[in-house]
Amino acid sequence: MFEHNAGMKVSSLYISQVKRKCGIEIGKNYNLPKNEDSRQPQCPKDKESAIVETLEHFKTIQQK
């Protein structure tokens, strides 16, 4: 299951972005941009799927 994700490094920014997409409440000001016009990198699809798989494994979200 997790073999293909072994050694993958994922930032807390990406994790919080995926949690928001899944509807999981996170801290009010957690990883928000400091300026309105600042840009944040978006989570790549391969890392997003790895994060979702991990959240499902630990039963943070329900499996689809």
Side-chain angles (χ1 to χ4, degrees):
M1 175 186 243
F2 290 107
E3 291 82 27
H4 66 278
N5 297 334
M8 181 180 289
K9 295 185 180 190
V10 180
S11 73
S12 59
L13 172 65
Y14 292 163
I15 294 169
S16 65
Q17 287 174 351
V18 173
K19 282 183 174 182
R20 277 193 195 101
K21 281 185 180 181
C22 293
I24 298 172
E25 299 238 355
I26 55 175
K28 185 176 180 180
N29 293 322
Y30 188 72
N31 282 330
L32 294 176
K34 292 179 178 51
N35 299 327
E36 288 183 29
D37 59 343
S38 68
R39 295 183 54 183
Q40 287 185 329
Q42 296 300 307
C43 185
K45 290 293 182 188
D46 62 330
K47 291 189 178 189
E48 181 177 343
S49 63
I51 294 167
V52 168
E53 183 178 319
T54 303
L55 292 172
E56 288 173 347
H57 175 76
F58 289 106
K59 296 179 174 58
T60 306
I61 60 174
Q62 290 187 4
Q63 294 181 343
K64 298 175 185 174

